[in-house]
Amino acid sequence: MNTVPSLNIAGAQPLQFPIPANVYAQTVVSVRHYTDRLFSFRITRPQSLRFRSGEFVMIGLPNAEKPVFRAYSVASPSWDDELEFFSIKVPEGPLTSELQKIEIGDTILMRQKPTGTLVVDALTPAKRLFMISTGTGIAPFASLLRDPDTYEKFDQIVLAHTCRDNAELVYGQELVAALENDPLIGELTGGRVTLYNSTTREQSARMGRITALIASGKFYSDLNIEPLNPQTDRVMICGSMHMLRDVKELTESHGFKEGSLANPAEFVVERAFVG
Ligand code: A2P
């Protein structure tokens, strides 16, 4: 059976734990800390892994006989030869209290089956796609925005990202800024992606929860666009549990029907939290 050293605890001899069955052991290739609450990292991609852009995987650390696994949306597109993730850091979190300490060369465990509802195949074609996210909920959209299939299905994409403070918005701002120069999809994305940011706990150019900004109409007037309409639009939603519930309710109040791979329709909600 394969074993990998556990993460280094300063001065301690690395312990050896067996890699559980049906789990990939991958290597960290980069780590970037955005704030004391958010960081992103990239790992090597198992050759046999296939996933749809927007799906999530279960990841863990090789630091226990029975490691803790948590759902992480893959933030890189399905064609990328590495896997990217965008993570929160929870001081007492069973996984992220340790995960936030990873360094290049460390081992990440990943269960072998990707899954998820935030995939373009769960939506019927339309003119505009609205990606509504808060915090690390932007991750599946980072994947979808770098996938040519998204641009084949929709003409215009609006990415709404709300965070507590300005520094938490940087990941998404850099992502969108890099799209136009992307060698693979740069030509497709030109002029078709609009980023809509707001903060809720730090002063910024635009403040407020996305639910309030949509409900008041400010979202539409700021962007100079027509209101959400199931005839022309599709919606994808990803964020905290309460956010999912509230944005889903708001979307349904506009007459949108929830879709799935079996029955594609007008909006989809991340199911990693809501089960
Ligand atoms: P707020 O600061 O008013 O709680 P978090 O990092 O806690 O997941 O929050 C990310 C962003 O999501 C914050 O700006 C937060 O606003 C916002 N948020 C939290 N709950 C909801 C909700 N039910 N509907 C819309 N936005 C929400």
Side-chain angles (χ1 to χ4, degrees):
M1 191 184 283
N2 288 336
T3 59
V4 290
S6 69
L7 288 186
N8 277 327
I9 302 157
Q13 190 73 14
L15 296 168
Q16 301 283 317
F17 290 102
I19 298 171
N22 301 320
V23 165
Y24 296 113
Q26 299 305 126
T27 305
V28 176
V29 292
S30 65
V31 184
R32 180 165 168 199
H33 293 269
Y34 288 83
T35 69
D36 57 3
R37 273 189 359 115
L38 294 178
F39 72 113
S40 70
F41 59 97
R42 293 176 75 88
I43 64 173
T44 53
R45 176 173 177 168
Q47 288 222 316
S48 57
L49 178 77
R50 298 281 173 277
F51 69 98
R52 293 183 172 93
S53 294
E55 287 187 320
F56 66 86
V57 291
M58 304 297 294
I59 70 172
L61 288 169
N63 58 359
E65 194 82 40
K66 289 196 172 157
V68 174
F69 283 89
R70 288 284 180 269
Y72 272 82
S73 292
V74 181
S76 45
S78 57
W79 52 261
D80 201 329
D81 57 10
E82 293 174 352
L83 299 174
E84 181 177 316
F85 300 96
F86 188 42
S87 178
I88 191 113
K89 307 175 196 175
V90 182
E92 306 296 324
L95 176 61
T96 64
S97 57
E98 292 303 316
L99 188 66
Q100 63 179 284
K101 299 176 195 158
I102 54 166
E103 292 177 358
I104 294 171
D106 285 344
T107 300
I108 298 281
L109 303 182
M110 195 172 94
R111 289 214 182 114
Q112 293 185 353
K113 222 184 132 2
T115 183
T117 44
L118 296 182
V119 293
V120 290
D121 289 346
L123 295 173
T124 46
K127 192 161 166 282
R128 304 186 299 182
L129 174 62
F130 291 83
M131 300 171 161
I132 314 272
S133 66
T134 55
T136 55
I138 194 175
F141 304 139
S143 173
L144 287 160
L145 281 168
R146 290 182 271 188
D147 191 321
D149 286 354
T150 309
Y151 300 90
E152 243 168 60
K153 199 152 183 175
F154 304 98
D155 295 340
Q156 293 291 326
I157 298 155
V158 175
L159 169 64
H161 190 212
T162 300
C163 289
R164 295 181 182 190
D165 59 43
N166 289 290
E168 294 183 343
L169 296 173
V170 170
Y171 177 85
Q173 290 167 343
E174 291 187 355
L175 168 90
V176 172
L179 284 179
E180 300 217 353
N181 298 322
D182 189 297
L184 200 84
I185 54 155
E187 278 182 25
L188 280 177
T189 65
R192 295 169 68 187
V193 179
T194 307
L195 176 63
Y196 188 80
N197 280 149
S198 66
T199 59
T200 51
R201 302 194 192 184
E202 185 186 36
Q203 197 63 44
S204 72
R206 187 180 300 116
M207 297 201 58
R209 289 184 171 189
I210 191 62
T211 37
L213 291 162
I214 292 175
S216 71
K218 183 168 165 49
F219 177 65
Y220 307 124
S221 55
D222 284 348
L223 292 172
N224 195 22
I225 58 171
E226 292 298 314
L228 282 170
N229 175 348
Q231 302 219 308
T232 49
D233 306 329
R234 301 293 171 257
V235 180
M236 293 179 140
I237 309 165
C238 191
S240 65
M241 229 157 33
H242 287 147
M243 177 275 194
L244 295 180
R245 184 200 58 203
D246 291 352
V247 181
K248 178 178 191 245
E249 223 173 82
L250 185 70
T251 307
E252 283 174 336
S253 76
H254 286 76
F256 285 73
K257 299 270 175 295
E258 188 166 1
S260 66
L261 277 174
N263 288 303
E266 294 155 357
F267 81 95
V268 282
V269 183
E270 178 58 87
R271 289 275 163 215
F273 303 106
V274 287

